[in-house]
Structures are given as C-alpha cells and as structure tokens.
Amino acid sequence: MPEQLDSALAEVRGLLLDPGLTRAVAAGRRRGQRPSVVRAELRPVSLKSGTRLQITTSDGSRPYTRNVAPGAETGTAVDELLAEPFGNWHVETTTTTVQLRVTKSGEAQVHRAATARPEAAPAGHDREKAYLLDPGDPIFDVIGGTAAKRRQVDAFLRALAATLPDDLTGPLRVVDLGCGNAYLTFAAHRYLTGRGVDVELVGVDVREDQRRRNTELADRLGYGDRVRFVAGTILDAAVEPTPDLVLALHACDTATDEALARAVRWSARWVLAAPCCHHELAAQLRTQPTPEPYGPVTRHGILRERFADVLTDALRAALLRLHGYRVDVVEFVDSRHTPRNLLLRARRSSAGATAEQLAEYRDLLRQWQVTPRLEALLPGVPGRSADHH
C-alpha cells in the first residue's frame, strides 16, 4: 500500500543513522525531477580516527567519496541526500532491509524485510552465501514460489550480477522474452532497484491471460509504472524503447533462437538465455548420415538427443560471437534442481569475428550437415558457404 513520502523518508533517515547500518543506495529520479547526482552509496567504515560514514556519489562519469564523522556532520549529510529527489532508496542494517520507491503520484511504495542471513551448512562444509534476494522478501508473498523456485531465482540473480558492471546505475532497459508467470521478471526488477539501478522492464509472453495476470501483480507490488507486460510473439511483440539487456529463460526449442535473434538485431549490450528443450537439430541429425568416426555418438537415441543439445548451444554461441558478442556458456542452476541448467551469457563487444571463428563455424556446419534456426533468423550471417550442403 502507498504511504506518505515524508513518513517513509523519516524511517529511512532513522535507518541511515542507525549504528547497525551496513549499506544504503539511493538512485533513480522522481517524475519531473532530477537529483544533483545519479547515485549515492553509504556504508560505515573503520578508520584510524574511528568509525565514519562513507558517502560515495556519482555524477554518471566519476565517483566522489567522503567520510563524515558521527553526530551532527553525519546528520547534515544524510539530510542533504534525503532532500534530493531520488526515486529509489535501498537500506540494509544488520536486522532490517527497506526498499522505498517513489511512485508517479509522489507517494512511497515501501517493502520491509528481515536482512538475509547465510543459511546454516552441514558440519564440515562452508556456510552458504546469503541469497541475493531474501527468500522471505515480501515480493514472494505476492508472486508465490516454492523453495526450489526461489533457489532458481537466486541462481539467476547471481548470473545477472556477474554479467552487469558493478557501478551500473542506469537507466537500464530490460526485456524478458517469453516471461511466462514472470517470477524472474519481478525478481530481476527487485534486485536491480535494490542495487540502486534505474531500471524499466518489459515482459513479453504470447498469452493475453498471462499479460493480464502479470500486470495485476505489478500493480499490487507497486511496480506498475516501471514494469509492464505485452502480449505477442518473441519475434514480433512491440518493445519500446530498445532494450539494453535481453532475458530469455527456458524459452522452448527455437523460441530461444528467436530471442537471441531479436537481441542481436537490437544490438543489446547484454543477453542472458537459458535454453529449454532442443528438438530442431535433433530432427536434422536423424535424417543425415553421421560423419566418421562419430557413429557411436548418434547410434543410440538418448546419446543423439544429448549431443543435439550440445551442438545446438555450441552453434548458438558461435553465431553470437560472429555477430560481435563475447559469450560464456555456464551452469545456470544446480542440475539437482532442473536438468535445463545451461546459460548462454553474452556481452556485446567492439571486436569483430576472427577468420578462425568463422572457419570453425563453417566446418561444424559442413561436417554435420545441419542448418541452425538462429542462422536463418540472422540474414547475412557469414556462416553460409557454397559447399555447406
């Protein structure tokens, strides 16, 4: 429920001055207003002269750091920051985490939760890292989610955190292609705003009933002005403005190729894609002779299907490289939780494709006599050659 902004900021002030403060971030801007800095981060530091509150602000090009003494000096510095028209505050103390977002109408949307703690681990093992998004966060009261789903959310957020620059403040435009029930859509928005990133997110799903459901959840969470949903296909849904980050998590079969193709056409800076089922190349392999000496690889159905999975994603990664992306293929979530645990993580680069990368791709196509769907979706890809078939 929306709250009075003055009262909510007074609560934030108390937390910023609390001895238990561990970290706070202010970022974004209110409607029609612009703060004098794009981001401010506060945290306590221990110096030879004693404990100080370290305040780091950024104008978008360079950071400025100062350490203020406790008492009146800290109070004045905190009041100056609270007077700035930031759109988001994220404050963590040893016991409490508060997320404040200023709505279009100038009210405060506030989420409060206990600060996440590392879970206890079995004897002889290191303690597990704390969740990036507390499993007890109020967002889960709205979107639901089993324990397994929350582990998947955390695994995804860790991949996202490893992809984006640490000093990113935004504006960041994100699209989630094939968002389904939008667990990860909402989690991404919650996490990124908690990092102080000014983010707008669009979820795309082919089903109109999902669009209505997800829009209702966004309104309940108070995200309606920053998270919106459209109904349409991955290839054709209207997405404006052009996104910086493209997500495609467990889009089935060639839907992943469609998402990757749109990301390339948008020249998206970052792409995170977790493929789901793989059928297209498996069907092609069944109709083509297996090159020597790889007969044993495809002789048994289950091995042929698994090899098709590997070949599909290897070709996807190769095509992304040929289109100017640096690509990592990593584990998305532990295979105990889902067998579909591979993640393609790509970052746009200024480097062009090398002759060696092009030759590798062409040789792979020629040897296995396959045509990946992603190549067909990207006209002009240099992989096509006269001796391809």
Side-chain angles (χ1 to χ4, degrees), residues 156 172-182 184-186 188-189 192 198-206 210-211 214-215 218 223-234 236-249 262 266:
F156 160 66
L172 179 69
R173 306 296 173 246
V174 185
V175 62
D176 187 355
L177 296 174
C179 66
N181 55 26
L184 299 180
T185 316
F186 289 121
H189 184 269
L192 289 169
D198 177 14
V199 58
E200 290 187 12
L201 204 153
V202 177
V204 173
D205 194 88
V206 70
Q210 284 283 40
R211 185 200 67 78
N214 293 336
T215 299
Y223 296 169
D225 58 337
R226 306 293 286 178
V227 180
R228 62 186 181 86
F229 295 90
V230 297
T233 66
I234 287 175
D236 299 323
V239 177
E240 293 291 343
T242 301
D244 308 296
L245 168 65
V246 173
L247 309 177
L249 305 169
R262 280 208 90 174
W266 279 322

Side-chain angles (χ1 to χ4, degrees), residues 104-378:
K104 287 183 177 179
S105 60
E107 296 178 298
Q109 192 77 38
V110 184
H111 292 284
R112 303 172 179 87
T115 296
R117 287 285 173 269
E119 293 185 341
H125 294 269
D126 293 335
R127 293 171 65 86
E128 296 181 14
K129 294 180 180 179
Y131 282 87
L132 293 187
L133 183 58
D134 183 2
D137 190 287
I139 190 175
F140 292 112
D141 294 336
V142 177
I143 68 174
T146 63
K149 177 62 71 174
R150 298 183 194 197
R151 285 192 295 269
Q152 187 183 58
V153 164
D154 188 68
F156 160 66
L157 293 180
R158 291 188 185 280
L160 181 60
T163 302
L164 301 178
D166 291 338
D167 59 353
L168 180 68
T169 59
L172 179 69
R173 306 296 173 246
V174 185
V175 62
D176 187 355
L177 296 174
C179 66
N181 55 26
Y183 282 115
L184 299 180
T185 316
F186 289 121
H189 184 269
R190 181 78 171 90
Y191 168 70
L192 289 169
T193 55
R195 272 183 49 171
V197 180
D198 177 14
V199 58
E200 290 187 12
L201 204 153
V202 177
V204 173
D205 194 88
V206 70
R207 292 170 50 183
E208 170 63 21
D209 60 329
Q210 284 283 40
R211 185 200 67 78
R212 291 194 300 268
R213 170 195 176 274
N214 293 336
T215 299
E216 179 185 345
L217 290 181
D219 291 338
R220 286 174 58 191
L221 288 165
Y223 296 169
D225 58 337
R226 306 293 286 178
V227 180
R228 62 186 181 86
F229 295 90
V230 297
T233 66
I234 287 175
L235 280 177
D236 299 323
V239 177
E240 293 291 343
T242 301
D244 308 296
L245 168 65
V246 173
L247 309 177
L249 305 169
H250 294 156
C252 192
D253 198 21
T254 55
T256 293
D257 300 299
E258 294 170 358
L260 294 176
R262 280 208 90 174
V264 170
R265 289 174 174 170
W266 279 322
S267 296
R269 294 176 65 188
W270 302 283
V271 184
L272 291 177
C276 189
C277 49
H278 300 67
H279 300 307
E280 183 214 12
L281 288 196
Q284 293 185 38
L285 289 176
R286 285 194 294 269
T287 64
Q288 297 288 352
T290 300
E292 293 298 333
Y294 301 109
V297 173
T298 61
R299 183 169 299 139
H300 305 282
I302 188 171
L303 294 180
R304 184 177 60 242
E305 297 297 316
R306 291 183 179 180
F307 173 71
D309 290 357
V310 172
L311 182 60
T312 298
D313 291 323
L315 290 171
R316 285 167 172 163
L319 279 164
L320 287 173
R321 290 189 184 99
L322 293 177
H323 282 83
Y325 285 84
R326 296 182 62 178
V327 185
D328 295 313
V329 182
V330 298
E331 185 178 69
F332 171 34
V333 65
D334 194 292
S335 57
R336 292 175 298 172
H337 306 311
T338 173
R340 303 300 180 184
N341 67 334
L342 181 145
L343 182 74
L344 295 168
R345 190 169 65 197
R347 176 172 64 85
R348 189 155 189 82
S349 168
S350 58
T354 67
E356 181 182 7
Q357 289 171 336
L358 178 55
E360 283 180 346
Y361 178 73
R362 285 179 169 172
D363 288 345
L364 201 54
L365 295 187
R366 186 183 304 113
Q367 187 167 33
W368 288 96
Q369 294 291 295
V370 292
T371 303
R373 172 64 173 158
L374 182 56
E375 180 182 305
L377 293 170
L378 293 171

